[in-house]
């Protein structure tokens, strides 16, 4: 199983600082947001990770973070600061990283990272957004749980879902399930419905485990009405022909793609663990 982590977004909601700093590199305590996604992929058993970046400075930051900086290492070693550098060195041994630059052209949307990483993805791949966060205090991994749940259900694909109160459903893409024995399979995705009247809702949080043949659905996409190539459209098309498991996550979900969400995630991460 490989992982594709998408961090090529422009981060316009963080402008002006988003012009220079990739939103996935903003810190949650002493680690950038994307480091938590990488750690979750590694905990799920992934050792080959492609990070799909934007061109230019904001892509360079991500590559630098996950690549050995020999000059910096020598600088720390010469001053006896090996212990301080050790946490950085651990990053580089977590997995084999491949960096794929997503071109800036007339295409836009959440499906493009999978499309540009098609040659990398392999037989099974995780498609993960690098600008959101699942916080757990039990040492577990929601991506490991996702892979295990897919195996138990015998489904070819699975996607992670956070649960929110129905009153908040209008803010998200809602996963509508169909029952199948002891688990739930994806039926359709409702984009930010105004009239949702159930007490709770499953929301899409951009963490999906897919087989190789799902890639064809990404490559055949046409833009949605808003002009975007949407990963959810590919997953929904795949679900019409195949079972896609909906797996509720254990972790506390935070969307770090906006200043308010990033601040809430930092506050939650700083709270004493139970």
């Amino acid at each position: 199983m490989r992982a594709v982590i998408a961090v090529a977004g422009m981060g316009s909601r963080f402008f002006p600082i988003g012009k220079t700093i990739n939103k996935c590199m903003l810190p949650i305590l002493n680690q950038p947001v994307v480091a938590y996604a990488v750690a979750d992929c590694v905990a799920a058993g992934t050792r080959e990770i492609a990070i799909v970046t934007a061109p230019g400075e904001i892509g360079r930051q991500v590559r630098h973070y996950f690549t050995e900086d020999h000059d910096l290492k020598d600088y720390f070693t010469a001053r006896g600061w090996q212990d301080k550098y050790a946490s950085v060195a651990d990053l580089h041994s977590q997995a084999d990283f491949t960096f794929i630059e997503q071109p800036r052209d007339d295409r836009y949307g959440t499906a493009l990272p999978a499309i540009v990483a098609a040659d990398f993805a392999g037989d099974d791949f995780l498609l993960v957004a690098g600008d959101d966060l699942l916080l757990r205090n039990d040492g577990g991994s929601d991506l490991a749980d996702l892979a295990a749940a897919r195996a138990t259900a015998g489904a070819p694909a699975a996607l992670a879902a956070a649960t929110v109160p129905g009153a908040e459903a209008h803010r998200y893409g809602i996963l509508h399930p169909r029952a199948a024995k002891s688990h739930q399979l994806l039926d359709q995705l409702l984009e930010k419905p105004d009239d949702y009247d159930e007490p709770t809702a499953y929301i899409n949080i951009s963490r999906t485990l897919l087989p190789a043949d799902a890639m064809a659905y990404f490559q055949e996409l046409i833009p949605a009405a808003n002009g975007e190539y949407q990963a959810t459209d590919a997953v929904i098309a795949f679900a019409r022909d195949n079972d896609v498991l909906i797996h509720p996550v254990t972790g506390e979900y935070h969307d770090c793609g906006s200043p308010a969400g990033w601040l809430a995630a930092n506050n939650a991460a700083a709270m004493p663990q139970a």
Side-chain angles (χ1 to χ4, degrees):
M1 184 172 62
R2 294 181 173 184
V4 176
I5 300 179
V7 299
M10 296 295 295
S12 59
R13 285 181 287 180
F14 284 96
F15 269 46
I17 194 64
K19 175 181 179 293
T20 299
I21 298 178
N22 191 314
K23 61 183 176 178
C24 81
M25 292 300 296
L26 292 168
I28 302 296
L29 301 182
N30 67 336
Q31 296 186 78
V33 178
V34 67
Y36 291 84
V38 166
D40 207 7
C41 290
V42 171
T46 301
R47 293 297 178 266
E48 295 179 81
I49 298 175
I51 302 182
V52 180
T53 72
E57 171 61 22
I58 57 176
R60 186 200 65 80
Q61 294 169 7
V62 180
R63 294 192 299 272
H64 179 261
Y65 187 78
F66 290 105
T67 304
E68 184 73 85
D69 185 329
H70 296 287
D71 290 341
L72 183 62
K73 183 178 181 180
D74 291 345
Y75 183 90
F76 272 57
T77 300
R79 285 154 181 78
W81 298 345
Q82 292 92 330
D83 290 347
K84 293 182 180 180
Y85 193 84
S87 61
V88 178
D90 288 344
L91 292 171
H92 313 134
S93 62
Q94 290 181 88
D96 293 328
F97 292 101
T98 297
F99 301 96
I100 301 173
E101 193 171 281
Q102 180 177 310
R104 283 187 184 149
D105 52 28
D106 59 353
R107 299 177 303 164
Y108 176 77
T110 55
L112 291 184
I115 294 170
V116 300
D119 291 340
F120 170 88
D123 293 337
D124 270 345
F125 67 100
L126 289 160
L127 181 60
V128 178
D131 62 353
D132 59 15
L133 185 65
L134 286 170
L135 289 175
R136 289 180 65 159
N137 59 15
D138 62 356
S141 160
D142 277 297
L143 289 180
D145 293 347
L146 182 70
R150 184 187 71 155
T152 299
L159 53 80
T163 304
V164 300
E168 298 180 15
H170 65 281
R171 298 169 51 197
Y172 303 99
I174 304 303
L175 303 172
H176 191 273
R178 56 184 173 87
K181 297 181 181 179
S182 60
H183 48 268
Q184 295 180 308
L185 301 175
L186 179 63
D187 183 34
Q188 59 179 312
L189 187 143
L190 310 175
E191 286 291 349
K192 299 182 179 180
D194 293 327
D195 56 352
Y196 192 85
D197 57 4
E198 299 294 329
T200 60
Y202 287 138
I203 65 169
N204 174 44
I205 59 172
S206 302
R207 279 168 160 79
T208 312
L209 176 54
L210 296 163
D213 56 357
M215 189 60 73
Y217 293 81
F218 285 84
Q219 295 173 326
E220 293 168 2
L221 275 178
I222 60 173
N226 61 3
E228 292 188 23
Y229 291 82
Q230 297 179 159
T232 49
D233 287 346
V235 174
I236 289 294
F238 181 80
R240 294 191 190 106
D241 302 326
N242 306 270
D243 288 344
V244 177
L245 176 72
I246 295 176
H247 177 69
V249 297
T250 299
E252 180 182 311
Y253 173 69
H254 294 276
D255 176 4
C256 298
S258 69
W262 170 77
L263 182 61
N266 258 297
N267 290 337
M271 292 290 289
Q273 298 296 298

